[in-house]
Amino acid sequence: MYQSNISRIGTIGLIALSWVTALLGCSDTSISFSDQGSLSHSSGEGSFRFGAATAAVQIEDGLYHSDWHHWSKPQSEGGKGQGHDFVGEAVMGYTNAINDISLLTELGLDAYRFSVDWSRIEPLRDSINEDGMDHYSSFIDQLLTKNITPMVTVHHFSSPIWVDNFLNGTCTDTDVPTDENLCGWGHPTGSVAIIEEIAEFAAQLARKFGDRVDDWCTLNEPINYLIASYGAGQFPPGKQYLISDFDRLMTVYRNYLMAHVAIYNAIKANDTIDADGDGVAASVGLSLNSIEWVPVFENAASDRPKDIRARDRIWYLYHHFYPDSLLEGSFDSDLDMVPDEMHPEWTGKLDWLGIQYYSKNGVTASPAMLPGVDATLCVGELDMGACLPPEDETHWIPTMGYEYHEEGLFNVLMDIGTRYENLPLVLTESGLAANEGARRAEHIVRTLEQTELAMQEGIDIRGYYHWSLMDNFEWSEGYLPRFGLYEVDLQTYERTATQGATVYREITNTRSLTIQTRTNYGGTGPMTPDIE
Ligand code: BGC
């Protein structure tokens, strides 16, 4: 059993560690980064890749069979109409895919992480869109001619509408799933079919692209995604098991883990060609949504043992629950931090772990609204006493309702990296919503500084993918938050480099953070204010 590092270090330890990192992080030295290497082979230790990331639904046009299309479409047009922006044609990223490769080359990137949307390839159950497959095949070819290493994400927050068709009402457990509606990840028989289908989808991708793709990400931020889609209901299919049926939410967590294992096995079986010559045909991992959770009571930092315990449970749920399950072959069905089911067939089904870091958020034990973890979180606008005012106003991200805290990334990397010593880590996402390019530049430099500090402590981190290449559809928040290195004009779809892109280019050019760059953008002090 792994011991929780955060509990071992404790709050005071973390504060001390942050001080040490702040002192070490003085900007009078430059920092160099090595060349790109293997994502999961031991030869890749010490290597570093610079990349950017996107997800299909957030950028691509023409995804008319995705659940997000129907979820965000106005009710007057036959959609579910959730009151936020309609995804529409996103930022025309499918039509412009080949042209957009020039953005990656302009940035001098080694790697690009993107998702192939399941609904693009299988708009109707078991009917494969070969044109869609060919599109990605040419896209991958073009990336490779530019020496950009593709990483393919199999499931990034979206499914074909037939996986859980909320337009058709809700299935009961005795309803028999149909090709038009498999009834979702919580259904006793539907979920079995969904796992088979997603594994077959992954197998198709691996068969078609495996000769050129080695890096695969099965699932994106499982806990975050499942809480939003099946827990609290902000994402399709809008189920609220956190409120109505906690056991069912645990079933969904288990099923989604099983999907990871099935995808992992399907990719390993079908991608047997080592495209980059590192000795591994397929490096398969998943990405975690990491957050610097802090204990809070009545909107102030708390050292009450019950708040610290609540923070530890949430920390575990977000950072340890899935990787523990996959490394140990076990499942903790009541989230008490002790596994109670053994699944030897899951053991070791993780070659690397993706870390995605955006924010610091509060957790309180009073009130304790979340079943299983006896805690309440500060997320978005929902303030039940768990929210903290930002330490520094300039780190507040209004369009997302959270605070960016540089050292939180170091703390998360130290915790996860020491817990899973032999598992390579990579930042599969990190970014911020801003209209002011200087803020994005600051975020990039500070993220790399914190990452390098963790590397100095011996944590095996093999790269950084900035979120995101261009402005995009930010799920429930719609088109307001601007995460792009390239700003997108939502009328003309023109892409324009932000200052973030310019500075990232300078960094990739020299593979270093120079003293000047660090002085201009780095550290942990105030950030440039955003433009409204
Ligand atoms: C997700 C992205 C999202 C980003 C910014 C991550 O949670 O993987 O899809 O756009 O955060 O919120």
Side-chain angles (χ1 to χ4, degrees), residues 58 156 220-221 224 356 358 400 429 467 474-475 483:
Q58 295 183 269
H156 191 132
N220 183 68
E221 298 188 351
N224 195 24
Q356 318 202 143
Y358 291 90
M400 299 303 289
E429 283 183 27
W467 184 270
E474 177 53 33
W475 311 113
F483 274 95

